[in-house]
Amino acid sequence: MRYALCLLMLIQISLADAGTIVVTPGGSIQAAIDSASSGDAIEIQGGIYSERIVVDKSLIIRGNTTSGYPVVNAGGSGTAVTISGDDIQITGIRAIGSGMAPRDAGIFVTGRNNRVMDCQVSGNRYGIVLSFAEGCTLENILAEASSEAGMLLDNSTKNSIIGCKLENNIHGIRLVSSESNTIRGNIISNTTFEALSLERSSNRNLIEDNIIRFNQIGISLETSRGNNITRNLASNNSVGIKIANHNDTESISPIENPGKYGGVSIKYKPNSDIESYDVRDKDLSSYTTNTIYNNTLINNEENAIDDGNNQWDNGTLGNHYSDFDEPEEGCRDRNRDGICDSAHEIEGGMSTDRHPLSPKDPMKARFMSKKNGAYLGLDRMVFMPGERIDMRLSVPENITAWIGVLPAGEPHGALDRTKAISYTTVNSSIREVALEAPRMVGSYEIRMYSTEEMVYLPISVEVPEIHISPAEVKACEPINVTYSGAPGYEGDWIGMFSTGAGDRSPLSRKYLDGSTNGSLVLYTPSTPGTYNVRMFADDGYRLLAVSEPVTVKQNAGVRIVAEPETVSPGQAIYVHFWGAMPDSVIGMYGVTRPDKFWISMQPTGGPSCGTLTFRAPYGGGNYDFRLFENNVYRKHMGASNVVRVV
C-alpha cells in the first residue's frame, strides 16, 4: 500500500525539460525537492498543496500563476515553507496556515543569498521570517493578516526587502538585532502596532522610499543606532516616526508629559556586556545616532518623537512636517529655496531638524486667480510707480486674450482694452508676461479678458517709506519703526545701519514676513553715534527706503529685561542687558534657585549693553535671568523680570 501511494505521488511529478521538474495538484512538492539535484528547477502548477516543505539545496522553485498562485497550506501547524540552504530561489507561491509556535511562519528563511520573489503569505503567525540569514532578498511580496508580524528579521544581516506590500498585520516589518539591511520601496498599511520597527541594536540599516500609512506607529526605532532613514512617506498614523533609544540599559524613569505618553518609561538591556550611556551625550560617535532626512511626515497625530539626540537632517536637507510647514507654525521660506528659515525642535528630547522642508513650490506664485482654465499668478501685490510687473499665466486652448492693468474702480465684466493703462495680448503658448506699473500711486487690478473677463488680481502702487521715533535715545534702547510700501515678499527686511555705512553692513535686521506696512521695534547699538534704518526687498540688498537719523547716546546703570514674559517650551527668549562688564555672563535660572544652579549661561561678549537669545526650557515653570560680573566668581549684578514657560 505504501509503495502504491508513493508511486501515485510520483506520477504527479514529471520532467518537463532538462533540469526542470513539474509538480501538479495531487503531487508532492517535497518529493520533487528530495529527488532534485542542486541547480535544478521545480515548477509548481496552480492548486492547493497541503504539506510543509523544506528546501535545503540550491534549487529554483517557481509557481505557475497562470490560473492563480499555487498554495502551500501548513494546515495550522509548523511552517509552510522552510528555506534552510544557500542560493535558493522561490517565486510565485502562496504560503498559508502556519502554526502559532514562536517562529512558525508562511516562509522561514535561513542561510545565505536566498531569494523569495513575487510570493504571497497570508493568515500565518509570521508572514516571512529571516533568522540568521545573510544576503537574502524578499521582493514583491504580499504579506497580510499575520497574527504577529508580516516580516521578521532576527539576527540577520545584509538582506533586502524591496517593493513589498504589507497590510492588516499586527506588526509590519520587525528587525530584531539585525544590521546592515535595506528596506526600500515597500507599502505598509493598517498595522495594529508598528509598521516598521528596529529593535535591540538593529544598527546601520537603510530605510528608504517606503510608504507607511494608517498604522499605530509608522517607523519605530528602539535602542538601534547608525540607521539611515530617508525619502519615506509616513501619513495618517498615530505617530509618524518614533525613536526611543534614550539608553541601552534597564531603567525606569519618569516621563515629562505623563498625560500624553504614560507615567513611566521602561527600557531594557539587550546584552549583559553593553555599556550604559545616555545618547544625549554629544560626544558620542556618529554610529550612536540615526540620520533621518528628506522624509514626508504628514497628517499623523504626532509627526515625530525622539527621546535622544539623533540627526534629523543630512546637513542640508531635513524633513517635511505637516505641523511645521506654514508661517504661523514657524516655517518661513524667505529665499524660496524649499528650506524653512527656522529649525524645528523634535518633541521628546534634544533633537532638532536644522533644515526642515517647506512644502511650497518655490516657483509657485504666492497670489493666484483661477477660473475655467484661465490662471494668473503674482509673487507680490505692491509695486513702485513705473516698476516692472512680472506675472505667470495660463490661457485655455484656442483662445486669444489680453491682459492689462486697470484702475480698481473700473466695472467688472466685458470691457474694452482701451480702458487699460497698459496691456498685452496672450494665448495658450505664453506662460509669462511683464507689464509696467502705473506712474500714479493708487489701487489697481490686473485683469485677463477674452470676450468676457476671465480672472483678475488686485495690486497697489506705492512709494516705500520708513520712519523712526524718537530721534534721540540711549544705547541699546528700543526705537519704534513704522513702514509702508514694502513689496510683500516673505524676505523683505529692515535693518539698523551706521550713517554712511554700506547697505551690506547691517548692525541688526528683522524680516517683514510678507507684510507691506506696519510697525516694529529695533534696539539701538551699544556704541554711541548716529544711525539710520533702511528697508530692502526680497532677502536681498535692493534698497527701498531710508529713515531719518537717530542719535544714540551713552547709557549708564545696570538693567536686564527678558521678553516675551510668557513663552512655550523651546521658544526663543530675548534678554536685553545694560551695564555689563567686559567678562560678564548671563545665566537662566528657575526662580528662587541659588546662583550656582544655572540652567544655561552665555557670555555677554564685551559690550556694556546688548541682547542675548536663550531657548525656553522644556519643563514648564517660572524662570529669571541673572547678570554676573564674570563666570569665575559670579558677582551678582542684576536680575530680570520673571518669564513663565507654559
Side-chain angles (χ1 to χ4, degrees):
M1 181 67 180
R2 182 179 177 185
Y3 173 79
L5 181 59
C6 292
L7 180 62
L8 180 62
M9 292 173 63
L10 289 172
I11 289 173
Q12 308 301 322
I13 303 172
S14 62
L15 195 63
D17 50 47
T20 300
I21 301 171
V22 177
V23 183
T24 58
S28 169
I29 301 172
Q30 188 63 56
I33 293 169
D34 293 342
S35 65
S37 299
S38 181
D40 284 350
I42 297 174
E43 183 175 295
I44 307 171
Q45 302 303 305
I48 298 176
Y49 299 82
S50 299
E51 58 180 317
R52 296 185 295 274
I53 66 174
V54 177
V55 188
D56 56 3
K57 63 187 75 172
S58 178
L59 298 173
I60 298 174
I61 299 176
R62 56 177 178 261
N64 185 342
T65 59
T66 304
S67 57
Y69 281 75
V71 177
V72 180
N73 188 348
S77 176
T79 290
V81 178
T82 299
I83 300 173
S84 59
D86 299 336
D87 301 305
I88 297 166
Q89 179 174 307
I90 294 183
T91 62
I93 66 167
R94 181 176 174 85
I96 65 171
S98 83
M100 292 293 112
R103 284 296 185 265
D104 286 350
I107 301 175
F108 186 95
V109 182
T110 187
R112 299 164 58 91
N113 304 323
N114 297 305
R115 297 174 65 85
V116 180
M117 301 181 296
D118 301 311
C119 291
Q120 299 178 353
V121 285
S122 179
N124 303 285
R125 179 177 175 84
Y126 289 95
I128 298 180
V129 172
L130 270 63
S131 181
F132 292 90
E134 182 177 347
C136 298
T137 299
L138 306 179
E139 186 172 355
N140 195 27
I141 306 293
L142 171 63
E144 59 183 356
S146 304
S147 63
E148 184 58 38
M151 295 180 181
L152 170 67
L153 275 65
D154 178 23
N155 285 280
S156 295
T157 62
K158 300 179 181 178
N159 304 285
S160 297
I161 301 177
I162 300 174
C164 298
K165 184 176 183 180
L166 299 95
E167 55 188 11
N168 299 311
N169 301 287
I170 299 300
H171 299 268
I173 300 175
R174 290 184 63 198
L175 278 68
V176 178
S177 303
S178 295
E179 297 192 346
S180 303
N181 300 285
T182 297
I183 317 296
R184 177 188 296 128
N186 305 285
I187 300 175
I188 312 174
S189 62
N190 297 296
T191 305
T192 305
F193 297 110
E194 300 91 349
L196 174 54
S197 61
L198 284 68
E199 309 164 26
R200 303 183 189 180
S201 299
S202 290
N203 304 321
R204 298 192 300 269
N205 298 287
L206 174 61
I207 312 296
E208 65 179 4
D209 296 317
N210 301 285
I211 298 174
I212 300 171
R213 54 195 176 194
F214 302 110
N215 309 283
Q216 180 67 24
I217 298 177
I219 299 175
S220 171
L221 281 76
E222 189 166 317
T223 61
S224 296
R225 316 279 190 243
N227 297 288
N228 194 322
I229 301 171
T230 182
R231 300 197 304 270
N232 300 284
L233 167 64
S235 69
N236 300 99
N237 307 286
S238 294
V239 180
I241 297 178
K242 181 178 181 180
I243 303 180
N245 49 4
H246 178 73
N247 58 48
D248 270 334
T249 67
E250 285 181 311
S251 66
I252 300 179
S253 59
I255 291 293
E256 290 184 2
N257 190 346
K260 191 169 186 179
Y261 302 116
V264 174
S265 171
I266 301 178
K267 306 297 179 183
Y268 58 86
K269 187 174 183 180
N271 210 316
S272 60
D273 59 355
I274 290 180
E275 182 182 356
S276 169
Y277 59 84
D278 188 336
V279 300
R280 291 178 295 184
D281 184 347
K282 295 183 180 180
D283 293 331
L284 296 175
S285 68
S286 60
Y287 173 74
T288 65
T289 66
N290 301 286
T291 303
I292 308 101
Y293 70 98
N294 208 12
N295 299 285
T296 301
L297 308 174
I298 56 174
N299 301 325
N300 303 288
E301 293 179 22
E302 191 75 57
N303 282 321
I305 300 174
D306 180 4
D307 72 357
N309 187 26
N310 294 281
Q311 186 170 327
W312 287 77
D313 58 74
N314 68 349
T316 56
L317 292 177
N319 304 277
H320 170 207
Y321 310 87
S322 58
D323 57 349
F324 192 80
D325 60 6
E326 296 292 340
E328 57 270 20
E329 295 168 340
C331 174
R332 292 189 181 275
D333 183 10
R334 298 182 178 96
N335 62 355
R336 299 187 293 282
D337 64 352
I339 306 293
C340 301
D341 298 334
S342 302
H344 179 46
E345 304 290 331
I346 305 301
E347 184 171 341
M350 298 177 64
S351 294
T352 300
D353 187 335
R354 297 168 297 175
H355 308 284
L357 304 180
S358 167
K360 296 178 180 177
D361 180 355
M363 300 307 295
K364 185 178 179 180
R366 289 184 60 216
F367 305 99
M368 297 173 287
S369 178
K370 298 179 181 180
K371 186 177 179 180
N372 298 328
Y375 164 82
L376 177 61
L378 295 171
D379 285 331
R380 56 191 174 112
M381 303 186 78
V382 177
F383 299 87
M384 295 174 66
E387 189 177 7
R388 177 186 172 104
I389 304 174
D390 291 301
M391 63 195 79
R392 298 161 211 171
L393 59 98
S394 179
V395 180
E397 292 288 339
N398 303 317
I399 290 180
T400 298
W402 63 272
I403 187 167
V405 181
L406 295 99
E410 286 290 343
H412 287 269
L415 194 67
D416 189 276
R417 72 184 68 180
T418 58
K419 300 287 187 179
I421 298 170
S422 62
Y423 73 88
T424 186
T425 303
V426 294
N427 56 46
S428 60
S429 66
I430 297 175
R431 299 299 179 190
E432 296 182 354
V433 297
L435 293 173
E436 184 179 287
R439 300 285 175 173
M440 296 289 292
V441 170
S443 298
Y444 300 87
E445 291 176 351
I446 299 177
R447 304 183 191 176
M448 182 188 297
Y449 285 89
S450 179
T451 54
E452 297 288 336
E453 181 180 315
M454 302 169 74
V455 289
Y456 79 96
L457 284 174
I459 65 169
S460 64
V461 175
E462 301 181 38
V463 176
E465 293 185 359
I466 186 167
H467 300 283
I468 59 176
S469 64
E472 184 177 298
V473 295
K474 292 182 179 181
C476 301
E477 294 287 347
I479 60 169
N480 298 310
V481 180
T482 59
Y483 62 93
S484 61
Y489 292 115
E490 288 282 313
D492 295 342
W493 62 281
I494 282 175
M496 174 84 67
F497 293 79
S498 294
T499 302
D503 290 339
R504 294 179 179 268
S505 303
L507 301 172
S508 63
R509 57 189 284 174
K510 278 191 177 182
Y511 286 102
L512 304 184
D513 295 329
S515 174
T516 60
N517 61 82
S519 62
L520 52 84
V521 173
L522 291 178
Y523 281 79
T524 58
S526 61
T527 304
T530 304
Y531 301 88
N532 59 32
V533 178
R534 308 172 196 176
M535 180 165 59
F536 298 85
D538 199 17
D539 205 30
Y541 295 96
R542 182 165 70 91
L543 182 62
L544 301 175
V546 180
S547 76
E548 56 273 15
V550 58
T551 300
V552 176
K553 295 189 173 183
Q554 185 67 50
N555 211 326
V558 175
R559 188 156 53 104
I560 180 169
V561 176
E563 62 172 5
E565 293 187 352
T566 302
V567 297
S568 301
Q571 184 178 338
I573 302 173
Y574 302 99
V575 180
H576 311 289
F577 62 91
W578 294 264
M581 304 294 287
D583 295 324
S584 287
V585 294
I586 292 177
M588 176 168 61
Y589 291 81
V591 172
T592 74
R593 296 290 287 172
D595 289 346
K596 63 181 179 179
F597 295 127
W598 47 269
I599 297 170
S600 63
M601 187 168 287
Q602 297 184 42
T604 57
S608 63
C609 60
T611 301
L612 297 179
T613 303
F614 286 79
R615 184 73 61 183
Y618 282 93
N622 295 329
Y623 301 86
D624 64 6
F625 297 83
R626 303 172 195 175
L627 176 65
F628 301 97
E629 188 172 303
N630 56 57
N631 194 31
V632 179
Y633 302 105
R634 288 203 292 273
K635 179 181 177 182
H636 194 276
M637 299 176 66
S640 76
N641 52 295
V642 174
V643 173
R644 294 181 61 241
V645 179
V646 295

